Amino acid sequence: MSGSNSSARDAAAPRPTEAAAGSPLGMTVHALPVPEVVDDRRRTASGRWKMLAVLAVCAAPVIASYLTYFVIRPETRTNYGTLITPPREIPAALGLQDLAGRPVESASLKRQWLLLAVGDAACDARCERQLVLMRQLRETLGRDRDRVDKVWLLPDAGTPTERLLEASGGVSALHADRAALAAWLAPADGHRLEDHLYIVDPMGQWMMRVPADPEPAKVKRDLERLLRASASWDQAGR
């Protein structure tokens, strides 16, 4: 009888493999998803770097063109006009008005290269030469002429004659406050504001002064260089 009871207990006792299969110790090897978390972090970091690289590539043309003209300035490059460093932002309080007396926002002159002349409405012989020169310079730029506007700033209250406006080839004539003009633009030593043409970039910054009584071919060369340097980011037409 004792032998049969012993056999029954032996049969009822779990075998070692069965006990091990039900043991909680078998669960300790499963909580290891760490490599997947690390991979996710690496993918996120990689994506951010790729996005920054794309932004850098998009901004590179603008940065490169301005570094070339305002920072690097190698000695072998000669410009005819005087570079203004740092360039001067067009003042918001320039007091611009059209010939009918309507106010004009200074910001409306942005997004286009500008050739500026300053002169009273009476316009002496030098003033007329500058208006004609601006027209000729723009026309000789060929397909790039639509990237340049001509602006005549009048620091007096007079009205130009139709003959002058026609001779200029459709110049934008605007009245401006003389004191505000003098605070923004500056002539070369020994000259007046009216003696020069001024070049303003599409961001509204005066960045070059043309010499008094200039050589047209050399002014054109400066303009062509500026337009070529900004070709990748400047769009024609305001």
Side-chain angles (χ1 to χ4, degrees):
M1 190 70 179
S2 61
S4 63
N5 290 338
S6 175
S7 298
R9 286 194 301 272
D10 291 341
R15 295 194 180 107
T17 55
E18 293 175 350
S23 174
L25 296 175
M27 301 297 292
T28 58
V29 297
H30 296 291
L32 297 173
V34 176
E36 293 184 7
V37 174
V38 172
D39 287 345
D40 286 343
R41 290 175 180 171
R42 287 176 179 171
R43 282 194 292 269
T44 300
S46 175
R48 288 174 180 168
W49 280 112
K50 289 178 181 177
M51 181 180 68
L52 290 174
V54 170
L55 291 175
V57 169
C58 293
V62 179
I63 296 171
S65 63
Y66 273 83
L67 280 176
T68 301
Y69 274 85
F70 296 112
V71 178
I72 300 174
R73 293 195 286 171
E75 293 300 325
T76 56
R77 183 180 63 77
T78 57
N79 44 276
Y80 180 60
T82 302
L83 283 172
I84 308 303
T85 52
R88 300 185 186 180
E89 181 79 18
I90 185 171
L94 201 53
L96 297 178
Q97 293 182 341
D98 64 17
L99 296 181
R102 293 182 294 261
V104 176
E105 294 290 334
S106 297
S108 67
L109 298 181
K110 295 182 180 181
R111 300 185 300 280
Q112 192 87 331
W113 285 97
L114 301 179
L115 271 173
L116 292 182
V118 178
D120 291 341
C123 199
D124 59 15
R126 172 172 287 184
C127 169
E128 288 195 43
R129 287 197 299 271
Q130 288 185 331
L131 294 179
V132 172
L133 176 59
M134 287 199 299
R135 183 193 67 193
Q136 293 173 340
L137 286 171
R138 184 177 183 275
E139 291 304 314
T140 59
L141 293 173
R143 64 181 182 181
D144 282 330
R145 64 179 177 272
D146 291 335
R147 295 169 59 193
V148 179
D149 273 355
K150 310 182 303 295
V151 179
W152 178 13
L153 297 179
L154 302 115
D156 67 346
T159 301
T161 64
E162 288 297 326
R163 181 188 66 80
L164 283 173
L165 295 176
E166 289 176 5
S168 68
V171 68
S172 297
L174 298 171
H175 293 289
D177 180 76
R178 183 179 292 274
L181 270 180
W184 178 39
L185 304 173
D189 291 343
H191 289 276
R192 306 173 303 154
L193 278 178
E194 291 83 354
D195 294 341
H196 300 282
L197 293 180
Y198 304 89
I199 298 176
V200 179
D201 72 17
M203 293 187 294
Q205 299 183 78
W206 170 43
M207 50 76 60
M208 182 174 282
R209 181 180 59 228
V210 176
D213 300 316
E215 296 182 42
K218 293 184 178 180
V219 180
K220 179 189 174 187
R221 186 174 59 199
D222 278 349
L223 282 171
E224 288 174 336
R225 287 173 176 171
L226 291 168
L227 293 172
R228 188 163 53 248
S230 62
S232 61
W233 56 271
D234 173 42
Q235 300 299 317
R238 187 181 307 118

